[in-house]
Amino acid sequence: MTYCLAISVDDGLVFASDSRTNAGVDYVATYSKMSRFVFDDNRVLVILTSGSLATSQAVLNAIKRDLDDPETEFDISKGKYLHEVARYIGKLSQDEQRTHGEAFEKSNGSNESSFILGGQIKGQPCEIYLVYPQGNFISSSVETPYLQIGESKYGKPILDRVISADISLSDAARCAVISLDSTMRSNVSVGPPIELSLHKRDMFQSPEHLVLRATSDDFQSIQVQWNYGIKSAFNQLPKLDWDKYNR
Amino acid sequence: MTYCLAISVDDGLVFASDSRTNAGVDYVATYSKMSRFVFDDNRVLVILTSGSLATSQAVLNAIKRDLDDPETEFDISKGKYLHEVARYIGKLSQDEQRTHGEAFEKSNGSNESSFILGGQIKGQPCEIYLVYPQGNFISSSVETPYLQIGESKYGKPILDRVISADISLSDAARCAVISLDSTMRSNVSVGPPIELSLHKRDMFQSPEHLVLRATSDDFQSIQVQWNYGIKSAFNQLPKLDWDKYNR
């Protein structure tokens, strides 16, 4: 499994991903699910992947192949709008799935992948898109300023409580860490290290990037402090008045 | 959808359920999903239901029919062990599903239901069981002292952080409320009122029972206080040292 998310706030974008992949419980491995592309002074793109590792890798290979090919019709350095790049990723994904489609139908398996594409093209706002396995896509909204792929449910309550467009990038990043930590505690197929990237609005340079390993002090201190904070908050809750309600 | 859970601690058992049912988003209704049975000075049973409302109601009707029938081979007042009652509920559920099985196969629908059965039979420990739609069942364990049915993921992280066998019944009940509240915020098909029942170990009387409506002061003050506590805990988290990790 996988859990990746992107958060869009006024100051920019935050991306976060776990690093565990598994083909059955007896084949677990560690892969980065975050790819960053910077086209100097023009555009910053981050791509997060979930689903079939083979399809995800094939799409990223095709993205790089097209970037290397001076004759290509479209690549991720082209297009005036980010949704054109989202459409292109959806098409690459569908092409790859179709190549092996018959084989997967026969084996009743799935080679579907989902993608989050986020970033900024000069002159355009910061945006994030979720590209579905079928190739279509959605963007976030002011009311729902985040997108998730993979194992999304365990980590959603904290996002719904904390994330709004006006929080800082640094707070959004810490919230992403908590969301990932909650997911990792409940689903062993989501695991460290956590990768974080942070794109500041209108800064067309490489996004800030951070890797939190299970053993890293910062990650451990956030985990310990959060666990303590949750328990304190719980202990301060009003008691239920059982007698009042008894009937 | 539905979200019900049962928690087993040293002092007894806590049961919690939401009350929303829906047959499509255009038919939403409110039903209790919690049934309590007390057989004086001998056994206390609580049954929580999720899945097809028709199947759940049919199973409860069959339970009551058998209780009324002096000639019945088995009913929930019989059996020395709680797992015998769990097996009986699984059989009633399977019988009911089979009755309409062909019709549901034709319409590609599902009439599956899941049940949580908990309680205590005199001379036996307090126990909780999850009865699957297939009729088989599992009990909780010391390491995992709770069971969930329905929309279980959003409300699981708080259980994993707070619940252990040595917490009080009252704390377990408040944790159940938080778990339900987190789920209701993220999935509109889980909704109030919240029903809570509390069985004290070796007390063979009607379990304490409490209904928290959306408008009830106690419920609202827990919601407000929890939201405040979560945000305080979040604001006290250590900052991530971006510079240290940059590369």
Side-chain angles (χ1 to χ4, degrees):
Chain A
M1 200 80 183
T2 284
Y3 177 39
C4 300
L5 81 157
I7 304 170
S8 174
V9 295
D10 293 340
D11 293 343
L13 304 172
V14 167
F15 302 87
S17 56
D18 85 307
S19 305
R20 190 161 290 171
T21 68
N22 68 305
V25 290
D26 56 350
Y27 189 75
V28 173
T30 302
Y31 281 87
S32 172
K33 300 167 189 178
M34 179 183 289
S35 303
R36 293 161 291 145
F37 300 88
V38 183
F39 302 92
D40 266 349
D41 209 29
N42 174 270
R43 71 180 62 198
V44 175
L45 303 175
V46 177
I47 297 171
L48 308 175
T49 58
S50 81
S52 159
L53 184 60
T55 300
S56 303
Q57 287 187 351
V59 168
L60 289 167
N61 288 337
I63 286 173
K64 288 168 193 161
R65 175 203 63 203
D66 287 350
L67 279 173
D68 278 345
D69 178 2
E71 317 249 295
T72 188
E73 200 181 322
F74 189 88
D75 63 47
I76 62 169
S77 73
K78 301 193 169 90
K80 188 178 164 189
Y81 303 105
L82 200 60
H83 59 72
E84 295 174 78
V85 181
R87 185 173 304 278
Y88 162 77
I89 290 173
K91 186 179 176 305
L92 293 181
S93 170
Q94 272 287 298
D95 288 350
E96 172 61 21
Q97 287 176 60
R98 211 174 290 118
T99 306
H100 308 284
E102 206 178 313
F104 274 92
E105 259 175 44
K106 273 185 194 158
S107 65
N108 267 328
S110 164
N111 63 341
E112 292 190 340
S113 281
S114 299
F115 300 84
I116 287 177
L117 163 72
Q120 188 175 14
I121 296 172
K122 202 164 193 174
Q124 300 290 331
C126 292
E127 286 181 304
I128 51 178
Y129 286 92
L130 193 169
V131 183
Y132 293 110
Q134 293 75 18
N136 58 342
F137 48 90
I138 58 167
S139 69
S140 64
S141 73
V142 176
E143 292 302 317
T144 308
Y146 64 84
L147 294 169
Q148 304 169 290
I149 52 176
E151 177 60 279
S152 60
K153 290 188 177 183
Y154 297 116
K156 187 168 181 290
I158 185 64
L159 300 176
D160 288 335
R161 288 186 198 272
V162 171
I163 299 294
S164 60
D166 59 351
I167 68 170
S168 70
L169 278 174
S170 149
D171 278 354
R174 286 189 301 159
C175 187
V177 173
I178 295 301
S179 180
L180 269 145
D181 183 44
S182 301
T183 308
M184 294 191 310
R185 285 177 74 105
S186 290
N187 185 331
V188 291
S189 73
V190 176
I194 294 175
E195 272 190 87
L196 289 170
S197 272
L198 193 150
H199 163 67
K200 290 183 185 150
R201 180 175 299 279
D202 298 330
M203 293 277 283
F204 294 99
Q205 297 161 3
S206 188
E208 294 197 52
H209 182 242
L210 189 153
V211 178
L212 294 175
R213 298 183 193 285
T215 53
S216 75
D217 290 344
D218 280 23
F219 184 35
Q220 287 182 351
S221 79
I222 284 185
Q223 285 178 307
V224 168
Q225 183 69 33
W226 180 246
N227 208 36
Y228 171 81
I230 288 283
K231 287 187 175 169
S232 301
F234 181 76
N235 288 329
Q236 284 162 35
L237 286 179
K239 302 272 178 199
L240 289 166
D241 186 351
W242 284 90
D243 293 330
K244 194 168 76 188
Y245 287 94
N246 272 345
R247 48 178 197 176
Chain B
M1 201 81 184
T2 285
Y3 177 39
C4 299
L5 80 157
I7 304 171
S8 174
V9 295
D10 293 340
D11 292 344
L13 304 173
V14 168
F15 302 88
S17 57
D18 85 309
S19 303
R20 190 160 289 171
T21 68
N22 69 304
V25 290
D26 55 352
Y27 189 75
V28 173
T30 302
Y31 280 87
S32 170
K33 301 167 190 177
M34 180 183 288
S35 303
R36 292 160 294 146
F37 300 88
V38 183
F39 302 91
D40 266 350
D41 210 28
N42 175 270
R43 68 179 67 196
V44 175
L45 304 176
V46 177
I47 297 172
L48 308 175
T49 58
S50 81
S52 159
L53 184 60
T55 300
S56 303
Q57 287 187 352
V59 168
L60 289 167
N61 288 338
I63 286 172
K64 288 168 193 161
R65 175 203 63 203
D66 287 350
L67 278 172
D68 277 347
D69 178 2
E71 317 251 296
T72 188
E73 200 180 323
F74 190 87
D75 63 45
I76 63 169
S77 73
K78 300 194 168 88
K80 189 178 165 190
Y81 304 105
L82 200 60
H83 59 72
E84 296 174 78
V85 181
R87 185 173 304 277
Y88 163 77
I89 290 174
K91 185 178 176 305
L92 293 181
S93 170
Q94 272 288 299
D95 288 351
E96 172 61 21
Q97 287 176 61
R98 212 174 289 118
T99 306
H100 308 285
E102 205 178 315
F104 274 91
E105 258 174 45
K106 273 185 193 157
S107 64
N108 266 327
S110 165
N111 64 341
E112 291 190 342
S113 279
S114 299
F115 300 83
I116 287 176
L117 164 72
Q120 187 176 14
I121 296 170
K122 202 164 191 173
Q124 300 291 330
C126 293
E127 286 181 302
I128 51 178
Y129 286 92
L130 193 169
V131 183
Y132 294 110
Q134 294 76 16
N136 59 341
F137 49 88
I138 58 168
S139 68
S140 64
S141 72
V142 176
E143 293 300 319
T144 307
Y146 63 84
L147 294 170
Q148 305 168 293
I149 52 176
E151 177 60 279
S152 60
K153 290 189 178 184
Y154 298 116
K156 188 170 181 290
I158 186 64
L159 301 174
D160 288 334
R161 287 186 197 275
V162 171
I163 298 294
S164 61
D166 59 351
I167 68 170
S168 70
L169 277 174
S170 150
D171 278 354
R174 287 189 300 157
C175 187
V177 173
I178 295 300
S179 180
L180 269 146
D181 182 44
S182 301
T183 308
M184 294 192 308
R185 285 177 73 106
S186 291
N187 185 331
V188 293
S189 73
V190 176
I194 294 174
E195 272 190 87
L196 289 169
S197 271
L198 193 147
H199 163 68
K200 289 183 187 151
R201 180 176 299 279
D202 299 331
M203 293 279 282
F204 294 99
Q205 297 161 3
S206 187
E208 293 198 51
H209 182 240
L210 190 155
V211 178
L212 294 176
R213 298 182 194 284
T215 53
S216 74
D217 290 344
D218 280 22
F219 185 34
Q220 288 182 351
S221 79
I222 284 185
Q223 285 179 306
V224 168
Q225 183 68 33
W226 180 246
N227 208 36
Y228 170 80
I230 288 284
K231 287 186 176 171
S232 302
F234 181 75
N235 289 328
Q236 284 161 35
L237 286 179
K239 302 273 180 198
L240 289 167
D241 187 351
W242 285 90
D243 292 331
K244 193 169 76 187
Y245 287 94
N246 272 344
R247 47 180 199 172

